[in-house]
Amino acid sequence: MRDLISFNSDWLFEGTETVTLPHTAVELPFHYFDERSYQRGFTYEKRFTPEPEWNGREVTVHFEGAMADARVRLNGEEITAHKDGYTPFEARLTGRMKDGENVLTVEIDGSENPAIPPFGGQIDYLTYAGIYRDVWIKLTAPVSIASVKIETPDVLADVKSVLAKVVLADPQGLGVSGSLIAALVKDGKSIAETTIEVQGECAEVRLSDLRDIALWDIEDPQLYTLRLTLETAHGSDTLDTRFGFRHAEFTTEGFHLNGRLVKIRGLNRHQSFPYVGYALGKAAQRKDAEILKYDLGLNLGRTSHYPQSRHFLDRCDEIGLLVFEEIPGWQHIGDKAWQAESIENVRRMIRRDWNHPSIILWGVRINESQDNHDFYLETNRVAHELDATRQTGGVRYITDSELLEDVYTMNDFIMGEFEMGGNRPRTALRPQREVTGLDHDVPYLITEYNGHMFPTKSHDQEQRQAEHVTRHLDVLNAAYGANGTAGAIGWCAFDYNTHKDFGSGDRICYHGVMDMFREPKFAAFAYQSQRDASEGVVMEPVTFYARGERNIHGILPLIVLTNVDEIEVRYGDFPPVRVQPDRDAYPHLPHAPVIVRPEHFGDGGLGVWGMTWEHGEIVGFKDGKEVARRTFVSDPLPTKLVVVPDATEVETGEAVRVMVRLLDQAGNKLRHATDPVSFEVSGPAHLFGPDLVPLRAGSTGLWLRMAGKGKVDLTVTHPILGQTTVTLQAI
Ligand code: GAL
């Protein structure tokens, strides 16, 4: 048996403060801060006394991630060092601990050391210092299982098999000799088992003749566990690894999952959050995956631009969200030593994550770098050598780039270029051969679009937000229409804090279809409405519903992002009007939006400037039946403050997001509201960020971290509506 013991609590930070991991070295304001504030060294120290049951076992301390250049000392002696800020590292404690109290010290360096990828140039995101992921103590038998790579060679055949490539660890040099039992486990039951004798540190074990195996798919992500048990004269060790049976391949026809074409509809994700940067743990990481899949209706997330939390990937496996994962970097390629470190990053990423069925592509270029033949030949070689079961991509924005990867992965920002002069009319995507410069098709995936070409805030004027929506729809439509293109991944899911050299001057890139709290902008519904209505009816009119918000006035033309068949618009005493999705404008989308135009109402549209502004209603129909209804009042007033936690039972140590929204009489958000709201927490929980904040576009969010078991009351006070309290349970 092996034990994993959480080592997250009671770290002494900078010699003064006791903190719990994940931890950010410097909590930041929401925006307008100096990112140099965390770009320096920090020290964490943990005092611990080995437990009697650690005796006779291998003891390892495991760090999931620390930013960056970590040096770990035990009682003053350096036991490991790790430069990369995004991948795990371990140090053996066996035989090095003394009786009684031991001191584990971790020094990190938050400065952007140009010797370490992604640093050396400018980067459009922040790399917040801290031990920002979990730390574990791992206890195993002296001879144990170090790692396993699970492959499913004949995955689409009726009769399947599992090949496990196992590495065994014998740090004491006792000699590896014993038996290895491999069991395939589904829903807690072993459904196939085999035993082999092992000698030496490498072993391959195969489970064959497997029948009635369910595939992992985006709609039905079936997972299996491979339970490996090593029995030697020195004890036994068991390692459970989750995996799935699935076949993923990019070809010139597009992306095939389990033999069928699936158009990729994705967004890029940065792993950052307001105030705490990278330092939110399991619950928040898992929630982000759920937001991408369910709230945005996506089938893929790209981990721009680095390996992201294991918790995020685990959840992607569980819910069927595809992942394109890539090595750390942004445009800049450093010297040979830097490149060697980057090649190591390829190894570290693939070794950590090769068993996640959700991952379908390795990104082995520095995002948006120039061609570099030798360097990228090597990153590709290493990726293929370590994992022959997955293809490689490498994200570029340059055309005619040397294709050393399996998939030409391209950031196509052409939508938006019509505003920069030149002769090209407004274009959503370029044809792939124009991009690649090749005379034949290759596997091709769009990895970014929009983003900095059209930054849009949730408090921007309605017309700008409608244009934001339109640009996302136009590219999606073009990607669906481009036969052979695997799909498109937009920039990006969430607004993010960034360096002064990017963004809107307040250290935010407003490139998300959601804000930093993951509150949707209208463009979020361009994605969500593409899902099947059986997964949830979507009907989101792109309007604040006001006579005078737009230039000229009025709310027409009105885009309604929806997956219903038809809508009915009711306005004041005007006769109701029925409008269908605009298939002419969006022939390729799974669900074209409805566009309500002035003509639908006859001359004058919905009345003119100076006339009374009336209530309105939009009703959605599917198969002739009403499935959705939105009511809009002409005289919106603050009526209700809703406080919505993502969960009411939260594990101790985990953070839960709580959204606060100011609604009018009809339940619509008051989109101009900037009222201050204050937070008061009673019970064992810590509030990240300030306790007095403005609403932004009618909403705000917060994260509460549970500091112990018990009842937690969060009271939110609004100047007009007074107090609302929600009760959470820390378990
Ligand atoms: C790309 C880059 C992203 C982000 C985006 C903004 O060039 O890869 O990281 O900066 O632009 O649109």
Side-chain angles (χ1 to χ4, degrees), residues 183-231:
L184 181 63
V185 178
K186 178 77 181 157
D187 304 327
K189 281 204 289 282
S190 170
I191 54 174
E193 205 170 300
T194 191
T195 302
I196 60 165
E197 294 309 307
V198 289
Q199 298 286 341
E201 293 188 358
C202 292
E204 281 199 2
V205 53
R206 194 182 286 270
L207 288 160
S208 310
D209 208 20
L210 304 172
R211 286 158 206 275
D212 299 324
I213 296 288
L215 294 177
W216 183 95
D217 208 304
I218 47 179
E219 266 121 48
D220 185 16
Q222 293 286 335
L223 291 169
Y224 289 77
T225 297
L226 182 71
R227 172 162 299 163
L228 292 173
T229 305
L230 176 70
E231 310 270 8

Side-chain angles (χ1 to χ4, degrees), residues 124-125 270 302 305 330-331 367-368 411 413 448 450-453 491 496 502 511:
D124 173 19
Y125 53 96
H270 269 304
R302 171 174 169 227
H305 302 296
W330 206 86
Q331 294 193 351
N367 170 64
E368 293 195 332
N411 292 349
F413 289 110
E448 293 182 31
N450 289 347
H452 64 292
M453 304 303 275
W491 192 266
Y496 54 98
F502 302 89
H511 296 176

Side-chain angles (χ1 to χ4, degrees), residues 54 56-60 92 94 138-144 171-172:
W54 296 12
R57 305 179 80 184
E58 267 298 312
V59 185
T60 309
R92 213 180 145 219
T94 326
K138 184 171 79 181
L139 302 171
T140 67
V143 179
S144 65
Q172 298 176 31

